[in-house]
Amino acid sequence: MERKIKVVVVDGQGGGIGGLIVEKIRAAFPEIKIRALGTNSLATQRMLKAGADEGASGENALIYNVKDADVILGVVAILMPNAMMGELSPKMAEAIGASPARKILIPLEKCNLRIAVPGNYGIQACADQMVELLERYLAEEMVE
């Protein structure tokens, strides 16, 4: 029996980056089940519209769903308490960080956070790299 990989996408505010991530992952892996976890219902709805299979909103839903995720996708700020103008609570950041899931995160210069990455990068390029890293992870899981 084939094991189903649990992929979650976390986003907040308007859900634009989460929506982009869902679109890219859906295009590359149409068979994968994607769960959208928004800090608010607008973000969740945007990710659902982009192609996520199911979604949930708010602190408790996020904390509950990241516990058994295999992969968590989002921006690096989801590991920072009070990120996204306070939408991402300290409990959410702790739950994401403590999850045993593989975290594939996009650097984003908001939230006063800088990642030392050479060269210029944009959200599109980072999302493409995210797809490649997820593909590598999935290949590793199929070997085991």
Side-chain angles (χ1 to χ4, degrees):
M1 182 166 79
E2 188 178 319
R3 184 173 88 83
K4 297 284 185 191
I5 302 293
K6 295 179 183 176
V7 175
V8 302
V9 179
V10 176
D11 200 8
Q13 297 191 306
I17 295 173
L20 173 66
I21 292 169
V22 169
E23 286 174 5
K24 296 259 184 196
I25 299 304
R26 176 61 62 227
F29 309 102
E31 73 290 348
I32 227 169
K33 187 171 186 177
I34 302 170
R35 182 173 291 163
L37 301 178
T39 60
N40 63 65
S41 61
L42 178 62
T44 303
Q45 286 302 314
R46 180 96 178 251
M47 292 186 282
L48 286 167
K49 188 174 181 181
D53 296 293
E54 55 191 6
S57 304
E59 184 179 75
N60 192 65
L62 187 144
I63 291 168
Y64 177 79
N65 282 286
V66 299
K67 288 178 187 174
D68 65 348
D70 293 301
V71 181
I72 298 172
L73 307 174
V75 297
V76 73
I78 65 175
L79 296 174
M80 296 178 58
N82 302 311
M84 300 178 193
M85 297 179 64
E87 284 187 19
L88 198 111
S89 73
K91 288 180 181 178
M92 292 166 138
E94 181 179 12
I96 292 166
S99 171
R102 167 93 38 110
K103 291 132 189 110
I104 304 175
L105 307 173
I106 293 175
L108 189 63
E109 292 193 358
K110 290 185 179 181
C111 303
N112 205 24
L113 176 68
R114 302 294 180 267
I115 307 290
V117 178
N120 293 327
Y121 62 89
I123 295 296
Q124 291 287 339
C126 289
D128 291 338
Q129 178 67 18
M130 179 179 270
V131 170
E132 186 177 315
L133 292 172
L134 179 58
E135 186 173 37
R136 285 187 211 161
Y137 172 80
L138 295 172
E140 291 170 11
E141 286 299 304
M142 297 304 162
V143 171
E144 291 180 5

